Amino acid sequence: MGMIEIISLSKWFGDFQVLKDITDTVERGEVLVICGPSGSGKSTLIRCINRLEEYQQGKILIEGLDIHGRDVDVNELRTHIGIVFQQFNLYPHLTVLKNITLAPVKVKGVPKAGAERLALELLERVGIHDQARKYPAELSGGQQQRVAIARALAMKPKVMLFDEPTSALDPEMINEVLNVMKDLARDGMTMLCVTHEMGFAREVADRVIFMDGGIILEEAPPEEFFSKPKHERAQAFLREIL
Amino acid sequence: MAYTFDWKLVLGGEYGGWIVQGLATTLKISALAIFCSLALGTLIAVLRLTRMRPLVWFSVAFTEFFRNTPLLVQIFFWYFGSYSVLPEVVNKWLYRQDFEFAAGVIALTVYTAAFIAEDIRSGIFAIPKTQIEASRATGLSFLQSMRFVILPQAFRIIIPPLISQFLNVVKNSSLVMTIGVMDLTYMTRQIESYTFHGFEAFTVATLIYLAISLVVSFTVNIYNKRVLKLIPY
């Protein structure tokens, strides 16, 4: 049984079909990189997994449980799935520390002191423990994104989703975020990353899928995908970004 | 015959005391109405954003009804008409209190809440949707997300229109004299009918209303600048 099983998933925005009968299984501890041109449905696909997007057909199972099952509490479900967004989406009115402790305290009922200890540990892990009392606007983009990763990890998720986590960053800040993601991958986190960072994919991905027009056009281990992509669209895409 | 001004008459002695009493009532009724309308207005605004149809309809009906009917009519409605619609227990309780005062607070609260709800709603719409997404994605419920993430940011944006609403409450509170609440305006009229020195009495009342409004406005502005400036964004 895979960690995440996506079965014949289809989704429409009005008349436009963004996802066309997608099927895939992500194993526990697997790092999956999803790439493809914009509008190919890759962000929508991962956003379906924590029900930020609804879908019309198909199923998604997490550890065998249908995420739209009758006794699934969506808030409980989401505590197991961390997500990191392109635009960080930190809470601007709260300090870094509060950004991280909010959900553990309010959702899981972790005592404040314990939540803060965990938050500081996580900040240490992403390399910015000295910024805990600052507000997001006082941090650089790379630091903000690392806070966002810490915020997601604070819920101790089973799966982490990354939705183009480095696309909004200045080039010199991309690596600090990728390094944190690589550490996570090596620690055995199950990760689904929508990204065009091919260096990252080569280094830590177990598998790369290439999406276009709402379908998975190609799926391969990174070496194979980069050296001899089978599909013409994938070849063209790789020529563009490499 | 020339009119002789007598400021001492309204500033000191028994009549001065009436003004102070009236002022105290005005402050009390305004403060209560501001507090309650802020709470009710927030609730009405949030109800409208839920996905539950009946709650949304209730919120829309509430807002449109109470902001589109004259406040004076509403005051009369609560004073003369509430007996027939409110439950017996509530009526009994209200009559044991100061009923005029209670009717005045209810009318002002409900009327103002309708406006405040619209201000809050526009504040909420000004916060990027991604803030709701980010908070819901960590497992926060809709209400938790509103309470801890959206509303604190929305309130900051709508402080200027909120000040206007608070000032309106203070000024609108003068209408409750029509149902016999002995507020500043009521007392001033009383002085006028006892002494015929209406000019002095109403000048004093005008200046007092102006002073209250300026104090409210300055206080909230200072809060806005001092406290909220600490948070850079």
Side-chain angles (χ1 to χ4, degrees), chain B residues 163 212-225:
Chain B
I163 294 179
I212 300 176
S213 292
L214 291 179
V215 168
V216 171
S217 176
F218 276 123
T219 317
V220 185
N221 267 325
I222 285 174
Y223 173 77
N224 195 12
K225 285 206 184 105

Side-chain angles (χ1 to χ4, degrees), chain A residues 32-144:
Chain A
L32 175 67
V33 162
I34 305 164
C35 60
S38 66
S40 58
K42 52 200 191 313
S43 287
T44 309
L45 175 64
I46 64 165
R47 287 162 57 89
C48 283
I49 294 170
N50 66 351
R51 287 180 56 177
L52 281 183
E53 301 282 355
E54 301 289 318
Y55 45 87
Q56 287 81 23
Q57 274 175 27
K59 258 187 191 171
I60 296 178
L61 310 181
I62 294 184
E63 292 182 321
L65 286 175
D66 185 342
I67 63 167
H68 277 277
R70 206 174 291 160
D71 8 289
V72 171
D73 172 1
V74 65
N75 297 323
E76 209 270 311
L77 170 82
R78 285 171 175 160
T79 63
H80 303 297
I81 308 165
I83 185 165
V84 174
F85 302 93
Q86 182 175 352
Q87 298 293 343
F88 333 136
N89 302 345
L90 295 178
Y91 314 131
H93 62 301
L94 300 178
T95 61
V96 163
L97 196 65
K98 285 250 171 75
N99 261 278
I100 301 174
T101 57
L102 182 67
V105 171
K106 301 299 176 192
V107 180
K108 280 187 169 175
V110 177
K112 198 169 162 246
E116 287 186 355
R117 218 176 309 122
L118 173 66
L120 290 170
E121 269 172 42
L122 288 168
L123 284 173
E124 179 96 51
R125 188 162 155 196
V126 300
I128 41 173
H129 58 285
D130 48 341
Q131 314 282 354
R133 308 280 160 192
K134 289 194 177 166
Y135 286 91
E138 296 172 285
L139 306 185
S140 71
Q143 289 172 327
Q144 289 192 48

Side-chain angles (χ1 to χ4, degrees), chain A residues 35 69 94 98 129 147 165 181 206 212 215:
Chain A
C35 60
L94 300 178
K98 285 250 171 75
H129 58 285
V147 173
M181 291 170 62
D206 297 302
D212 190 28
I215 56 174

Side-chain angles (χ1 to χ4, degrees), chain B residues 102-199:
Chain B
V105 172
I106 294 174
L108 278 171
T109 295
V110 168
Y111 178 78
T112 313
F115 288 90
I116 287 185
E118 286 298 280
D119 286 343
I120 293 176
R121 207 159 65 90
S122 64
I124 292 173
F125 281 135
I127 307 301
K129 266 198 167 152
T130 49
Q131 288 284 306
I132 294 202
E133 247 176 30
S135 50
R136 298 291 319 262
T138 58
L140 262 65
S141 67
F142 170 77
L143 286 179
Q144 285 176 321
S145 158
M146 281 290 150
R147 162 81 182 77
F148 300 112
V149 177
I150 306 303
L151 286 174
Q153 296 183 62
F155 269 109
R156 198 155 319 158
I157 296 175
I158 58 159
I159 279 177
L162 271 188
I163 294 179
S164 299
Q165 298 302 347
F166 295 165
L167 301 185
N168 279 337
V169 172
V170 176
K171 292 179 291 176
N172 287 339
S173 75
S174 63
L175 288 175
V176 298
M177 68 162 286
T178 54
I179 54 169
V181 177
M182 292 190 273
D183 75 328
L184 182 58
T185 309
Y186 181 98
M187 287 307 202
T188 312
R189 262 205 65 160
Q190 186 115 310
I191 295 172
E192 193 266 341
S193 39
Y194 273 60
T195 65
F196 300 108
H197 279 278
F199 182 83

Side-chain angles (χ1 to χ4, degrees), chain A residues 43 46-47 50 52 81-90 126 141-154 157 159-167 169 177-178 180-181 184 189 191-195, chain B residues 133-134 137-138:
Chain A
S43 287
I46 64 165
R47 287 162 57 89
N50 66 351
L52 281 183
I81 308 165
I83 185 165
V84 174
F85 302 93
Q86 182 175 352
Q87 298 293 343
F88 333 136
N89 302 345
L90 295 178
V126 300
Q143 289 172 327
Q144 289 192 48
Q145 193 60 300
R146 285 186 279 159
V147 173
I149 295 173
R151 175 174 70 179
L153 291 176
V159 180
M160 283 286 284
L161 310 173
F162 290 87
D163 190 2
E164 305 207 31
T166 56
S167 300
L169 295 175
V177 171
L178 290 181
V180 169
M181 291 170 62
L184 258 184
M189 177 63 80
M191 293 164 65
L192 282 77
C193 313
V194 172
T195 182
Chain B
E133 247 176 30
T138 58

